[in-house]
Amino acid sequence: MSHLHDNRKILNRIKRVQGQMNAVHSAMSNEDVSCLDVLQQVAAIRGAINGLMNELVEQHLKNHVLEENQYNEQELEKFLEVLKKYI
């Protein structure tokens, strides 16, 4: 996973999700914020998480499964096991 620690795109997505989560936490302690506003923020978080997941899947496939027009069968099996748990 060393290739992820310096991936700016992924790190920026994570920071965005953290900011959105902090905004929801703040909104929950503010009586003037409506339920719909909180729901909209949570929907944005879901979209951000989906984008992060897509980016991580792409990077995993490119760096561990697909190799010069071939694929690593063992890595593909591990990947599919994880994917089945969450989809």
Side-chain angles (χ1 to χ4, degrees):
M1 187 164 64
S2 63
H3 61 91
L4 294 178
H5 78 280
D6 61 351
N7 186 311
R8 297 299 326 151
K9 191 173 184 179
I10 289 174
L11 294 174
N12 286 339
R13 285 181 180 274
I14 291 169
K15 287 179 185 176
R16 191 173 312 125
V17 170
Q18 287 174 327
Q20 290 170 318
M21 289 297 295
N22 289 338
V24 168
H25 186 261
S26 294
M28 296 297 294
S29 61
N30 184 343
E31 292 180 10
D32 295 332
V33 176
S34 74
C35 294
L36 291 177
D37 290 339
V38 173
L39 284 170
Q40 186 171 5
Q41 288 177 315
V42 171
I45 292 168
R46 179 189 286 180
I49 291 291
N50 286 340
L52 175 61
M53 182 74 165
N54 291 339
E55 189 65 33
L56 290 170
V57 165
E58 180 181 334
Q59 290 302 312
H60 180 73
L61 289 174
K62 286 180 177 178
N63 288 283
H64 299 287
V65 178
L66 304 174
E67 298 169 351
E68 298 178 16
N69 297 327
Q70 297 182 12
Y71 67 93
N72 180 324
E73 191 169 338
Q74 186 177 15
E75 280 295 323
L76 180 60
E77 289 300 319
K78 289 180 198 175
F79 171 75
L80 292 175
E81 283 179 34
V82 170
L83 198 59
K84 288 175 187 177
K85 291 178 184 178
Y86 298 102
I87 292 182

